[in-house]
Amino acid sequence: MTTLDSRPSVETPIQLIDARGPRFGAVLTTIVLAATLLTIPSFISLVLLGAQTIVFALGAIVGLKAQPYGSIYRRFVQPRLGRPTRLEDPRPPRFAQSVGLLFAVVGLVALLTGATTVAYVAVGAALAAAFLNAAFNFCLGCEMYLIGRRLFARSSTSA
């Protein structure tokens, strides 16, 4: 007798992405978040952080193909760079977009409620992570995703 749990899972193949795309997005994110940080508290900071929140939401919820910075990269930058030499799984960068979204939402709510210190901290944390990726090709959110996967795999095998 075969149950649903004992059948082999059928996974959809993962469409790998150009590894340079998320780093390009991190450069633009760094610029937007730095400008946001420099203009807190003002209407400009609300607009900038609101726009960045939408960018994060599209990347996290809809997927990296819908992320505006990725679209700019694919349309204007990638053709000038040529074929990618390294492809990567889109799940870690998409998780990183989710983490960025969380910090952006906290920053946005803080700005709207007048909690400027919280806004500085939230935007500063997102900026630090984006800068690490842009300058050093170290995606903090991606690393969090991979650590989480390893921990989850260990806990499910020991149960």
Side-chain angles (χ1 to χ4, degrees), residues 17-18 20-26 28-29 55 59 63-79 97:
I17 59 171
D18 182 346
R20 301 169 297 185
R23 190 169 187 190
F24 174 81
L28 296 181
T29 298
V55 168
L64 296 177
K65 297 275 186 198
Q67 209 260 20
Y69 300 158
S71 297
I72 292 168
Y73 173 78
R74 287 187 305 279
R75 174 95 167 103
F76 299 107
V77 178
Q78 188 179 35
Q97 292 288 300

Side-chain angles (χ1 to χ4, degrees), residues 67-141:
Q67 209 260 20
Y69 300 158
S71 297
I72 292 168
Y73 173 78
R74 287 187 305 279
R75 174 95 167 103
F76 299 107
V77 178
Q78 188 179 35
R80 287 164 177 71
L81 296 177
R83 296 185 63 113
T85 57
R86 197 179 113 228
L87 298 175
E88 69 181 9
D89 183 342
R91 292 176 294 186
R94 189 169 177 179
F95 178 81
Q97 292 288 300
S98 300
V99 175
L101 175 61
L102 175 68
F103 279 97
V105 167
V106 168
L108 203 53
V109 170
L111 283 176
L112 290 170
T113 60
T116 55
T117 303
V118 173
Y120 277 117
V121 171
V123 173
L127 173 60
F131 179 75
L132 282 172
N133 194 356
F136 303 108
N137 200 24
F138 181 80
C139 177
L140 188 57

